[in-house]
Amino acid sequence: MSKGIILSLCDYTGKMVEPWLAGGYDAIIVDPQHAETTSETTKHGTTLTRIASVIDDEQCWSHVRANIDRIVFMVGFPPCTQLAVSGSRWFEDKYKEDEAFQFKAMQVVWQCYDIARLIGCPFIIENPVSRISTLWRQPDFNFHPYHYVALRTDDNYTKLTCLWSGNGYVHPAPAMLPEVIEAISLVEGACGRMVSKREALKALPDSQLVKDWYPDNRIHDCPPGDDRANFRSATPGGFAEAVFNANAHQLRPNEKTENEGNHRTPRPRANL
């Protein structure tokens, strides 16, 4: 019997829901890139439903209404193209074409938030460093994928990611490897701060530790292509597993969660 449902909005890859499916939960992932709306039984005996629509569409809303008492956790990944500060050099030209381009992008953020409040379940809304902090509010947490590298060793890369949360969401503690911590400390000692791996190797060309364990910059270095956006936005598996481990034990369908009240924690540092 399913333990409940995780709802993941603007989610094409489904990486975020994999630990939940393996842990006895069903999942609904919503994204217009899905070829069609389908449901399948996973190897774990749970159900993965893909909804081929934007979130503000009857297909999405009908699934939310039909399952509102079973949804125990919600994640939102609103598109960051018009909001991420990494693309700020194009903002002026976009503004000339459409003065409301960021307001329109923020509608998806607020739709995610409204759905979470409607359901009443713990939630997170994810984006890179972006205009959301200015147009809505400051994030409650942030992390890099390498903060959870002990759970997935292939997640040893940098990508500062912000989270807006509520309704009793529990943010997972970092799970780093000693080798990664030592490599970062070595680079910070030589360069005064964290730098790209390319710069780190220039500063410490003979360090095998830096070569093997210093977080890389694959997100920034990935080449142009049709899959670039999905590759850059895919949820790191270690973080997904950490969120599941920190939250799944407290969730039960049809039970009210705590009122929204976010707890801020300091950004993890290399000397943890």
Side-chain angles (χ1 to χ4, degrees), residues 105-128:
M106 283 300 300
Q107 296 308 302
V108 186
V109 178
W110 291 319
Q111 286 165 7
C112 291
Y113 181 53
D114 286 344
I115 290 173
R117 290 195 299 167
L118 173 68
I119 298 168
C121 63
F123 73 89
I124 49 176
I125 297 171
E126 180 266 9
N127 231 241

Side-chain angles (χ1 to χ4, degrees), residues 72-119:
V72 296
F73 195 85
M74 196 213 82
V75 187
F77 299 98
C80 64
T81 304
Q82 312 295 5
L83 297 169
V85 297
S86 59
S88 60
R89 60 186 177 275
W90 293 293
F91 285 173
E92 185 176 352
D93 290 339
K94 291 180 178 181
Y95 181 79
K96 291 176 181 177
E97 293 180 8
D98 182 359
E99 293 182 358
F101 81 97
Q102 287 189 333
F103 175 77
K104 292 175 181 177
M106 283 300 300
Q107 296 308 302
V108 186
V109 178
W110 291 319
Q111 286 165 7
C112 291
Y113 181 53
D114 286 344
I115 290 173
R117 290 195 299 167
L118 173 68
I119 298 168

Side-chain angles (χ1 to χ4, degrees), residues 2-13:
S2 170
K3 298 177 182 179
I5 295 174
I6 175 175
L7 175 64
S8 193
L9 304 174
C10 309
D11 184 352
Y12 176 65
T13 67

Side-chain angles (χ1 to χ4, degrees), residues 57-165:
D57 181 87
E58 179 56 27
Q59 282 197 77
C60 177
W61 280 109
S62 64
H63 276 77
V64 171
R65 287 194 298 269
N67 295 285
I68 195 165
D69 290 333
R70 296 184 59 221
I71 298 173
V72 296
F73 195 85
M74 196 213 82
V75 187
F77 299 98
C80 64
T81 304
Q82 312 295 5
L83 297 169
V85 297
S86 59
S88 60
R89 60 186 177 275
W90 293 293
F91 285 173
E92 185 176 352
D93 290 339
K94 291 180 178 181
Y95 181 79
K96 291 176 181 177
E97 293 180 8
D98 182 359
E99 293 182 358
F101 81 97
Q102 287 189 333
F103 175 77
K104 292 175 181 177
M106 283 300 300
Q107 296 308 302
V108 186
V109 178
W110 291 319
Q111 286 165 7
C112 291
Y113 181 53
D114 286 344
I115 290 173
R117 290 195 299 167
L118 173 68
I119 298 168
C121 63
F123 73 89
I124 49 176
I125 297 171
E126 180 266 9
N127 231 241
V129 178
S130 72
R131 289 277 292 160
I132 295 176
S133 300
T134 302
L135 298 173
W136 183 24
R137 62 176 173 83
Q138 291 294 310
D140 299 292
F141 306 98
N142 59 54
F143 73 95
H144 283 280
Y146 72 80
H147 289 160
Y148 302 97
V149 70
L151 299 176
R152 299 286 179 90
T153 56
D154 59 347
D155 283 348
N156 194 21
Y157 63 97
T158 61
K159 181 192 176 187
L160 184 58
T161 303
C162 299
L163 300 174
W164 291 261
S165 66

Side-chain angles (χ1 to χ4, degrees), residues 84-87 89-90 128-129 143-146 157-161 194-199 215-224 228 231-233:
V85 297
S86 59
R89 60 186 177 275
W90 293 293
V129 178
F143 73 95
H144 283 280
Y146 72 80
Y157 63 97
T158 61
K159 181 192 176 187
L160 184 58
T161 303
M194 281 194 72
V195 296
S196 70
K197 189 162 188 175
R198 187 180 298 107
E199 293 178 63
D216 65 53
N217 311 90
R218 69 190 71 168
I219 295 297
H220 304 286
D221 294 341
C222 68
R228 186 173 190 265
F231 172 78
R232 287 168 59 92
S233 63

Side-chain angles (χ1 to χ4, degrees), residues 161-231:
T161 303
C162 299
L163 300 174
W164 291 261
S165 66
N167 287 351
Y169 166 73
V170 177
H171 191 63
M176 293 178 67
L177 291 171
E179 295 88 348
V180 174
I181 295 173
E182 187 177 352
I184 292 173
S185 296
L186 188 63
V187 171
E188 288 183 330
C191 302
R193 60 184 178 86
M194 281 194 72
V195 296
S196 70
K197 189 162 188 175
R198 187 180 298 107
E199 293 178 63
L201 289 171
K202 286 182 180 178
L204 297 163
D206 299 323
S207 173
Q208 194 63 42
L209 184 70
V210 173
K211 291 177 183 177
D212 292 342
W213 292 104
Y214 189 73
D216 65 53
N217 311 90
R218 69 190 71 168
I219 295 297
H220 304 286
D221 294 341
C222 68
D226 294 340
D227 295 327
R228 186 173 190 265
N230 287 328
F231 172 78

